[in-house]
Amino acid sequence: MSTVALVLLSYRPDQPSGIDRSVGALAKGLRELGHTPLVLAAGPAGPLDHLEPGLVRLSSVTLPYPATNADALAALADPAPVTAEVRSVLAEHGADAVCWGDTLWGLGYLSPAPAGVTTALMVHKIRPGAEQRWQNALAAADVICPASDYLAHGGAAAGLDTSRWRPVLNALHTLITPPTAGERAKLREAGPVRIVSRADPAKGLAELLWALPADWERPVELVLAEAGFELQSGGQARTLAACREVEAHRPGLVRILPALGWADVPVFFAGAAATVIATQVPETFCFTAAEALSVGTPVIGVDLGNVPLLAGEAGRYAPLEAGPGALWSAVAELLADPGQYERASAAAPGRITRFTPDKSARALLDALRL
């Protein structure tokens, strides 16, 4: 059995972000297969660190909460301390391989692995070819692991050399039994629309809520959570404030709910009639869509990125240029048609059978030749 290190500076168990879910599921899958995962992350320690037994907090890198790319770059301005500490930790634990969880946040551009340790770079986004850190990370890794078929195809479409690319698909951390057909029929008739998202301006959440038709009567419940990183300083707080403004404008109809743990998200979606993905930029995987599908909840989304590829016949899609109002029209149309709804719901769980922790961990081990 092997010891495999996963590196993501921003990692926190139960953090509401896809990249953290991805790393957490890989660690879970490695344990299920009998291997030993390590997760290397920046300080300070978090209150839920005990949920990840393989977590190692680096003393050489401390980040604010939340942190931006600029914060991460400032913390790594002198890479020597973190490079030395990561190499020391990997040597101390006898790591057979290391997977950099991202170009910057996963230290892929530094690739501080001891000699003889096989390295993989997870790809969650295709970055501009001129970005030097991206080029350094690609060149340094022994194998490149895109986290979805969409990203694998995107790398080839961008003209990158994909001869060392081996997909390691994102995995759902928790799977539960979907509602029965009878329970699902009742949800179609009267269940709420439920949405789970990180509070990011690009998710289009406030715009989606403002676009609710004046005569809309079905409850809309939005779990909105802040993560330990953000692309724009203050962007999460602005998103929360904007969504709460709609909640105040439509009291009793729109509810903004606090963050959920990873294991609680499928349970939440199991009680939903449908979910809506309103992201205004392409999703490269979309965990919340996959989690909804896992319990038979149809997905309504923008015809953009990986969501239509992921959900297929279990979803309905509207062009981005049609605006968020078109998404509510698609929700209403699906919920009004029992036959279409039943077919979409029945197809949903089958769309995510590839995305289990053990399968993703097995793919990573195969890529690393362990």
Side-chain angles (χ1 to χ4, degrees):
M1 293 294 112
S2 302
T3 296
V4 180
L6 309 166
V7 181
L8 184 64
L9 295 182
S10 59
Y11 183 81
R12 291 177 182 271
D14 271 350
Q15 180 162 239
S17 77
I19 193 168
D20 289 84
R21 279 184 173 94
S22 175
V23 168
L26 270 176
K28 180 180 181 181
L30 287 166
R31 276 191 292 271
E32 289 176 356
L33 296 177
H35 298 267
T36 301
L38 300 174
V39 181
L40 277 60
L48 300 179
D49 281 3
H50 63 279
L51 298 177
E52 176 48 66
L55 182 58
V56 177
R57 290 283 176 194
L58 300 172
S59 61
S60 57
V61 184
T62 300
L63 294 173
Y65 189 95
T68 64
N69 282 356
D71 293 320
L73 287 169
L76 299 169
D78 177 5
V82 69
T83 295
E85 185 178 12
V86 169
R87 286 176 177 160
S88 175
V89 169
L90 296 178
E92 176 188 347
H93 288 271
D96 300 285
V98 58
C99 180
W100 315 117
D102 177 65
T103 294
L104 171 60
W105 294 87
L107 302 181
Y109 79 108
L110 296 175
S111 195
V117 173
T118 306
T119 63
L121 173 70
M122 289 299 295
V123 172
H124 298 275
K125 180 180 179 181
I126 303 298
R127 302 185 181 278
E131 186 179 299
Q132 192 58 53
R133 287 190 299 273
W134 166 243
Q135 292 298 328
N136 291 347
L138 290 177
D142 294 313
V143 63
I144 315 299
C145 300
S148 68
D149 294 333
Y150 176 82
L151 286 163
H153 297 323
L160 299 173
D161 176 8
T162 58
S163 60
R164 290 180 293 120
W165 287 44
R166 302 291 183 273
V168 174
L169 304 180
N170 282 333
L172 303 187
H173 191 272
T174 303
L175 294 170
I176 65 172
T177 302
T180 65
E183 292 168 335
R184 185 50 68 186
K186 292 178 181 177
L187 288 168
R188 181 194 67 80
E189 293 173 355
V193 173
R194 288 180 167 176
I195 302 167
V196 178
S197 180
R198 181 165 52 86
D200 184 325
K203 301 296 185 181
L205 299 164
E207 296 88 340
L208 177 69
L209 295 179
W210 279 117
L212 266 170
D215 60 351
W216 189 270
E217 297 180 348
R218 189 182 293 254
V220 177
E221 299 174 348
L222 169 59
V223 169
L224 196 55
E226 294 180 87
F229 66 92
E230 56 185 357
L231 298 180
Q232 305 170 17
S233 182
Q236 296 186 123
R238 290 192 296 272
T239 298
L240 278 162
C243 290
R244 285 174 177 152
E245 185 179 352
V246 186
E247 181 184 36
H249 181 70
R250 304 291 292 269
L253 182 69
V254 174
R255 294 177 62 212
I256 308 302
L257 304 175
L260 294 171
W262 294 338
D264 298 320
V265 174
V267 177
F268 181 72
F269 276 133
T275 193
V276 183
I277 308 295
T279 310
Q280 298 170 350
V281 297
E283 290 278 3
T284 58
F285 181 69
C286 195
F287 270 90
T288 55
E291 287 163 327
L293 293 168
S294 74
V295 291
T297 298
V299 172
I300 311 300
V302 177
D303 191 6
L304 187 71
N306 192 53
V307 172
L309 301 176
L310 179 66
E313 67 272 31
R316 298 293 183 272
Y317 318 100
L320 179 64
E321 57 270 20
L327 296 173
W328 292 117
S329 296
V331 173
E333 179 182 335
L334 180 61
L335 295 181
D337 189 319
Q340 284 195 40
Y341 183 88
E342 182 181 353
R343 288 189 290 274
S345 177
R351 303 293 304 181
I352 56 88
T353 54
R354 295 187 298 155
F355 310 126
T356 63
D358 62 315
K359 289 179 181 177
S360 292
R362 183 70 265 166
L364 177 61
L365 293 168
D366 289 345
L368 293 167
R369 297 184 179 180
L370 294 178

